[in-house]
């Protein structure tokens, strides 16, 4: 096992520390507050995504997951032996002319998932 693998395997994930301290629930409340007058991207549309309004990015209140899985396309310290967990979400606000993920970013390819389903995806990637 490389030193990178060892250090990551012995430290608990940051979300556990946030959950145990109670800070995670505060961050969730703040995220929903920001969705009700959306300022999550630099466009600051201020639409109420919690009521189904769509702004410049066209995203709703729930994430749209296009794909997910282990990813090996980065430097070794980031991917280790098992790959980094990657979740591709639809609706990018940049809309780059030469986007390599056009179908995800512009065409909103993917499936809307609940917060619980997204957490399950992330935990499954962590277990891998």
């Amino acid at each position: 096992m490389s030193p990178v693998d060892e250090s990551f395997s012995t430290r608990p994930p940051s979300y556990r520390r946030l959950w145990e301290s109670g800070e995670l629930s505060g961050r969730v409340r703040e995220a929903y507050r920001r969705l009700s007058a959306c300022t999550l991207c630099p466009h600051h549309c201020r639409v109420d995504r919690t009521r189904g309004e769509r702004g410049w990015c066209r995203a709703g209140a729930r994430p749209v997951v296009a794909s997910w899985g282990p990813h090996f396309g980065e430097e070794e310290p980031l991917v280790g032996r098992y790959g980094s967990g990657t979740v591709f979400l639809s609706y990018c606000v940049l809309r780059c002319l030469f986007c390599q993920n056009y179908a995800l970013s512009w065409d909103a390819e993917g499936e809307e998932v609940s917060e619980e389903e997204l957490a399950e995806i992330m935990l499954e990637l962590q277990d891998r």
Side-chain angles (χ1 to χ4, degrees):
M1 185 178 286
S2 76
V4 171
D5 289 335
E6 288 176 26
S7 66
F8 282 112
S9 65
T10 58
R11 282 189 286 169
S14 296
Y15 68 84
R16 286 192 182 162
R17 180 184 44 78
L18 292 172
W19 178 69
E20 290 167 357
S21 72
E23 188 177 340
L24 187 59
S25 60
R27 288 187 182 191
V28 169
R29 282 191 300 278
E30 174 62 15
Y32 277 108
R33 186 193 66 74
R34 292 184 69 191
L35 282 178
S36 66
C38 192
T39 58
L40 295 177
C41 83
H43 294 283
H44 291 241
C45 297
R46 304 200 63 80
V47 298
D48 189 345
R49 289 170 54 179
T50 65
R51 295 183 181 258
E53 295 176 10
R54 308 270 173 152
W56 195 86
C57 70
R58 302 174 300 151
R62 289 198 162 167
V64 176
V65 175
S67 67
W68 55 277
H71 179 63
F72 296 93
E74 305 297 337
E75 294 83 6
E76 185 185 358
L78 299 175
V79 300
R81 208 179 322 164
Y82 305 107
S84 63
T86 301
V87 179
F88 284 101
L89 301 172
S90 295
Y91 300 117
C92 176
V93 298
L94 297 177
R95 303 213 180 133
C96 301
L97 185 58
F98 298 104
C99 179
Q100 65 181 359
N101 295 311
Y102 182 89
L104 314 180
S105 301
W106 293 46
D107 292 340
E109 185 178 281
E111 181 179 329
E112 185 175 281
V113 298
S114 70
E115 295 82 355
E116 292 82 8
E117 290 170 315
L118 182 58
E120 288 174 13
I121 288 170
M122 293 176 175
L123 289 171
E124 181 179 319
L125 286 171
Q126 178 182 302
D127 287 342
R128 285 187 180 183

